[in-house]
Amino acid sequence: MLDTDPRLSLVWAEVPLGPFEGSLVTVYLARSKAASLHVSRRCGQLRTSEVRTADVPLETAVLRRLCSRCAAWGVWGRPGTGLGMFLGALGGTGLLYQLQSYMEPDEDERWTDCEAREAAELLRTEQDSDPDDDDDDDDDEEEVEGGISRREAREDAEELRGLIFAHWRGAARSLHRVQATLAHFPWLEEWAKPSLTVKTLYLQTLRAQAARFVDPEELVAAAAATALPTPELPHADPAFRGARRQQPRVRDTVGPVAPVAERGRAALGRAGDTCVPFVRDRVRHAQQSEGLRRGSSCGSAPDRLLGGTGPGSSNVGRPGTEMPADGAQIPEAPEAMPRHGVRDFLDGLDTWTLGVLLTWTVDADWGSGVLTLEVPDLVAERLLSTVSSLPCSSAAAAPDLPEGDRGPERQSGIVRPGVFDDTPVFDRCPVTLDHLRALRTLGPGADELYLVFSASGGAEVLPLDIIEKRLAKGWLGVLIAGARDLPGSVLGPQELEHGPEPEAREAQLSGRGQSVHDPHFGEGLGLAEGTRRTLRQTYATEDRDLNLRLLALARGAHDLRSLDAGRPGGLPVAVWHGLLTEDRLSFAPFRQPCSDRWRSGSGLPLGPLAAVQLYTTNASPLIEGKGHSPLCRHAHERAVVAGDNLLTVADLMARTDFDWCSKCGGYALRRLSDTQLSYYRVAHQLHDTKRRLDRGTGNPDAETSTMIARLDELAAWQPENEAEWCGSDSWQWQDTIRDLRRGAARSHAVTSPGELTS
């Protein structure tokens, strides 16, 4: 195992570091001079209470001092950095491990080429035997060479076949990972060439052995069968009596093999002969499983259904042994292979497709996942059809591959310092599509949100897939930072502070029945409560830090629809609850005065609240259906998607034709910034002061003095950015306060003479 191999540190020391040589890395060590270096403070081999931390340049001498466990499984830096991706691609089950695997048979699972050939011959002989032979059971117990029964020999052959196929797939997957990794770090190619040559030769050996278990004629027959229409069952035939109710299943079981004879055996070679016993067995199995009547005519039903294509048919000519050939290329899989998920383009392929790859592959670029095949016409038809489990293109036409993938000079995907966050922003290089493919392949834990900069759009917060779409259209920009790059010192505490019980806190935050002068008024609408909400809904402790970072970065997105919760790998639901709230704003201070005492307002300007965003599933009265909050259960709590409608508070105040859901209120409000929440509070305080003056309740003298002092405080309110508080909104705010002060002063002057007389 790599984590205990004493030679591993020497292997690391031999790796060419290329442009990452000299990059600073953080290591941990004991205080002794000859102590090993560790990349994690929690390494099990770091057995001391006095641990030193040092930032050292990445050099061969440093790699030689690494402990074996950290060298194999240590996590270097952040996964989204170029240095982190380079070192991560080498360690674990990465390049160093893959270069030492699938170079020769395992010690515990060895077989000879002769054993593989004999197993294939035995299975082919068993397959060609007559299924109607009643002596099969006796033959199974007959001893063959070696003193074992035929059944045991067959089981051993099948086990060896499965073992060879598994090793071929594993060797192909390993070679694919090695070549795909080297494409991102080309300075490693010369160093890896000897191991790569051995791996390639071993893969060819495994492919030749696995191909012995595949009959090309059966592959052609299966391709012809799937290309033909399904026949109707002859219900009048006694052999199919009772199958009327089971017609769909029996028809699927028989498959579209009957019209093969109409195409002529010249198109199939001897494939028709191999197809007949297979279909005969399938029909008989269907008859038994469905409880159909078995009579003397049952055995001949498959042959009659096939229209005389049995071995004894004399009306079909025999073709030559040459089969027409065509070419097909298998383009690279669209989704990059996860580094720890061991999934590649071979996973999910059916047995027929794997047999085709084994039989007719003439050239293979395992790194890019492109295989070139020379196949018979019928096989090419199936590979190019929509039912194929593998995307293919004809060699006669130019394959639909990106230009960057056509030659060995592909350089745009090289991972080096300066693309991600390894260098100062001033030195950043523009990001490319190949860089993002490398990020998804080599950094499976990379951030989904990034702060980017471009001359056309300035600084923006975008998901990776949106960046990919822009790059495909010619966008030119650089990556500034991901969520994990944000300094933790500005994120705040990751633990919920002790406070009231959840029910009491919800009642407190809603604002209902709460004084507008309470310091917590409207707190449930703000960013701080959004952070607490994200923490409360993040159940895994290890996810709290990442969710807080995603929340902080997502708050910088101008339009939350660009984050699109409907895309794969979207933001966690807990983050969406930190961005949005279904609590309602009270618009009483901003309504115009009227005779209705319950609806009358103070006519205050919306100010900073005018641009507050609202998200709804439907804001148009012309479209059927109510509008729901993206967090509403009626909308399946899916969060904001690209097709949602965006409104502002100003839009909401200007219209009355909305058809909102009665449960959620119709929309989710983007949480208020500190400035917006502060203005929301002072607007409600001013509205409350105006209502008290209009009613003239309480002790006139004491009440008036208090209100005048409060109005002076409200007149001095300013947002953090004074540029946001100018023009008509500021004038209207100050005019309202001056009018209220005059009214309060007149009220005080009127009441003073009476008080003196008394």
Side-chain angles (χ1 to χ4, degrees):
M1 294 295 292
L2 283 178
D3 57 345
T4 59
D5 188 350
R7 298 173 301 166
L8 183 62
S9 58
L10 297 179
V11 175
W12 266 92
E14 297 171 0
V15 175
L17 300 177
F20 293 105
E21 186 170 6
S23 299
L24 291 180
V25 294
T26 301
V27 296
Y28 305 91
L29 67 160
R31 293 195 174 276
S32 61
K33 292 184 179 180
S36 298
L37 302 181
H38 306 265
V39 299
S40 172
R41 184 185 292 272
R42 294 185 292 273
C43 177
Q45 298 185 15
L46 186 58
R47 302 182 182 94
T48 178
S49 58
E50 298 181 357
V51 179
R52 295 170 50 199
T53 303
D55 291 332
V56 298
L58 185 64
E59 297 173 344
T60 301
V62 172
L63 296 177
R64 288 184 183 276
R65 292 182 59 186
L66 281 179
C67 83
S68 59
R69 185 179 300 275
C70 288
W73 307 107
V75 178
W76 299 71
R78 296 186 301 276
T81 65
L83 178 61
M85 286 189 286
F86 172 61
L87 296 175
L90 291 172
T93 57
L95 187 61
L96 287 175
Y97 177 86
Q98 299 300 332
L99 284 175
Q100 300 175 77
S101 63
Y102 291 105
M103 301 180 70
E104 59 183 2
D106 292 342
E107 295 181 359
D108 299 333
E109 297 177 339
R110 286 182 176 272
W111 64 87
T112 64
D113 190 69
C114 180
E115 291 173 338
R117 181 172 60 254
E118 291 176 353
E121 293 174 353
L122 174 62
L123 292 178
R124 186 172 292 108
T125 302
E126 293 284 340
Q127 182 178 355
D128 292 340
S129 63
D130 188 359
D132 293 330
D133 191 353
D134 295 332
D135 296 332
D136 282 349
D137 294 338
D138 297 335
D139 292 342
D140 285 343
E141 303 303 328
E142 179 183 343
E143 288 191 359
V144 296
E145 185 178 354
I148 61 175
S149 67
R150 182 178 296 275
R151 176 184 289 113
E152 292 174 335
R154 182 172 64 247
E155 291 174 352
D156 291 344
E158 291 174 347
E159 181 180 356
L160 180 58
R161 178 181 60 185
L163 194 61
I164 293 175
F165 268 76
H167 275 251
W168 171 72
R169 289 171 62 100
R173 180 186 295 114
S174 178
L175 187 59
H176 166 65
R177 292 187 60 179
V178 168
Q179 292 186 345
T181 301
L182 293 177
H184 299 298
F185 311 108
W187 60 88
L188 298 175
E189 291 179 354
E190 193 65 28
W191 164 77
K193 183 178 293 184
S195 298
L196 201 60
T197 301
V198 176
K199 288 178 67 67
T200 303
L201 293 175
Y202 182 57
L203 177 61
Q204 293 174 355
T205 300
L206 289 174
R207 181 201 160 198
Q209 292 178 350
R212 292 196 180 106
F213 295 90
V214 180
D215 189 344
E217 295 177 346
E218 291 187 3
L219 297 177
V220 177
T226 57
L228 299 175
T230 304
E232 290 294 331
L233 291 181
H235 295 292
D237 193 312
F240 290 93
R241 186 176 303 158
R244 192 182 306 271
R245 288 180 297 177
Q246 305 294 341
Q247 177 173 348
R249 178 169 177 177
V250 176
R251 181 188 301 173
D252 292 341
T253 302
V254 174
V257 185
V260 169
E262 300 177 8
R263 294 277 298 268
R265 202 176 289 264
L268 295 177
R270 293 175 54 246
D273 292 340
T274 61
C275 205
V276 171
F278 169 76
V279 176
R280 180 188 299 115
D281 292 341
R282 297 291 290 177
V283 173
R284 181 175 294 108
H285 175 72
Q287 290 174 328
Q288 293 173 346
S289 61
E290 297 298 339
L292 302 182
R293 294 176 56 188
R294 294 175 54 87
S296 59
S297 60
C298 271
S300 61
D303 289 336
R304 293 205 303 278
L305 182 61
L306 293 174
T309 60
S313 302
S314 59
N315 59 337
V316 180
R318 296 282 179 178
T321 58
E322 294 294 329
M323 292 187 295
D326 195 3
Q329 282 192 323
I330 305 172
E332 182 178 1
E335 291 294 331
M337 181 192 66
R339 181 166 155 262
H340 300 288
V342 292
R343 177 172 179 81
D344 58 14
F345 56 92
L346 291 180
D347 289 334
L349 298 183
D350 53 60
T351 306
W352 181 87
T353 305
L354 290 175
V356 169
L357 297 184
L358 284 168
T359 305
W360 288 299
T361 298
V362 295
D363 188 30
D365 182 358
W366 292 102
S368 61
V370 179
L371 307 183
T372 304
L373 314 176
E374 285 185 0
V375 297
D377 287 340
L378 288 170
V379 175
E381 286 181 23
R382 174 167 171 176
L383 287 175
L384 298 173
S385 68
T386 56
V387 301
S388 175
S389 59
L390 202 63
C392 299
S393 59
S394 174
D400 187 16
L401 293 174
E403 290 295 330
D405 294 347
R406 292 183 183 276
E409 65 279 358
R410 174 180 173 184
Q411 299 290 319
S412 59
I414 296 177
V415 177
R416 54 164 58 95
V419 177
F420 302 99
D421 60 342
D422 307 288
T423 60
V425 177
F426 180 82
D427 296 328
R428 295 287 167 85
C429 301
V431 66
T432 67
L433 277 172
D434 289 323
H435 288 140
L436 295 191
R437 293 192 188 106
L439 182 62
R440 291 191 184 279
T441 303
L442 304 174
D447 299 325
E448 279 294 328
L449 285 185
Y450 278 84
L451 176 64
V452 302
F453 178 81
S454 66
S456 58
E460 302 174 274
V461 176
L462 298 173
L464 276 181
D465 53 352
I466 299 298
I467 300 175
E468 288 176 327
K469 292 178 181 178
R470 291 193 178 186
L471 288 171
K473 297 179 181 179
W475 181 77
L476 184 66
V478 296
L479 300 179
I480 303 298
R484 288 181 175 83
D485 303 323
L486 301 179
S489 57
V490 302
L491 296 178
Q494 296 186 20
E495 299 293 335
L496 288 170
E497 68 277 9
H498 296 287
E501 293 299 323
E503 295 80 4
R505 183 169 180 80
E506 289 296 331
Q508 183 185 60
L509 295 178
S510 64
R512 291 185 288 273
Q514 188 179 13
S515 170
V516 296
H517 302 289
D518 190 300
H520 297 292
F521 175 79
E523 187 174 340
L525 302 168
L527 299 178
E529 179 58 25
T531 301
R532 287 189 285 267
R533 187 70 179 269
T534 295
L535 287 175
R536 282 198 297 272
Q537 295 198 2
T538 304
Y539 302 106
T541 304
E542 60 272 15
D543 293 336
R544 287 185 173 180
D545 179 70
L546 177 58
N547 281 357
L548 288 181
R549 293 174 181 275
L550 290 172
L551 175 62
L553 200 56
R555 284 172 174 168
H558 175 69
D559 186 347
L560 296 183
R561 293 178 297 181
S562 65
L563 307 182
D564 192 5
R567 63 185 175 84
L571 294 177
V573 175
V575 175
W576 282 108
H577 281 278
L579 294 170
L580 302 170
T581 177
E582 289 187 311
D583 289 345
R584 301 275 77 87
L585 288 173
S586 172
F587 295 114
F590 314 109
R591 298 194 190 100
Q592 295 302 317
C594 64
S595 57
D596 185 351
R597 58 175 297 190
W598 302 108
R599 299 284 299 173
S600 180
S602 299
L604 298 179
L606 285 172
L609 297 175
V612 173
Q613 296 176 345
L614 314 170
Y615 292 89
T616 178
T617 60
N618 182 16
S620 174
L622 302 179
I623 298 178
E624 184 179 1
K626 293 181 178 294
H628 297 275
S629 160
L631 303 177
C632 178
R633 292 183 180 179
H634 294 162
H636 307 293
E637 300 180 2
R638 55 170 172 72
V640 178
V641 298
D644 283 342
N645 296 144
L646 170 61
L647 300 172
T648 63
V649 168
D651 298 329
L652 191 66
M653 294 284 291
R655 289 175 52 185
T656 59
D657 57 349
F658 296 111
D659 185 14
W660 296 138
C661 167
S662 59
K663 179 178 179 60
C664 66
Y667 59 85
L669 181 78
R670 188 163 184 172
R671 292 190 176 273
L672 304 184
S673 66
D674 293 342
T675 297
Q676 292 166 341
L677 180 57
S678 176
Y679 180 70
Y680 181 72
R681 287 170 171 168
V682 297
H684 274 273
Q685 292 171 10
L686 183 58
H687 175 62
D688 179 71
T689 302
K690 181 178 181 300
R691 292 179 61 191
R692 289 177 178 272
L693 285 173
D694 291 341
R695 291 198 303 265
T697 58
N699 185 335
D701 186 44
E703 186 78 12
T704 302
S705 300
T706 302
M707 289 186 179
I708 290 177
R710 189 171 294 161
L711 289 172
D712 290 339
E713 295 176 0
L714 296 176
W717 182 86
Q718 290 283 348
E720 296 178 1
N721 184 4
E722 295 184 5
E724 299 177 355
W725 191 240
C726 59
S728 60
D729 287 347
S730 176
W731 299 336
Q732 187 177 353
W733 175 265
Q734 296 296 337
D735 287 344
T736 301
I737 293 178
R738 281 193 293 267
D739 291 343
L740 292 177
R741 290 189 62 182
R742 292 193 197 101
R746 284 196 300 268
S747 173
H748 181 67
V750 169
T751 57
S752 293
E755 293 171 356
L756 293 174
T757 302
S758 63

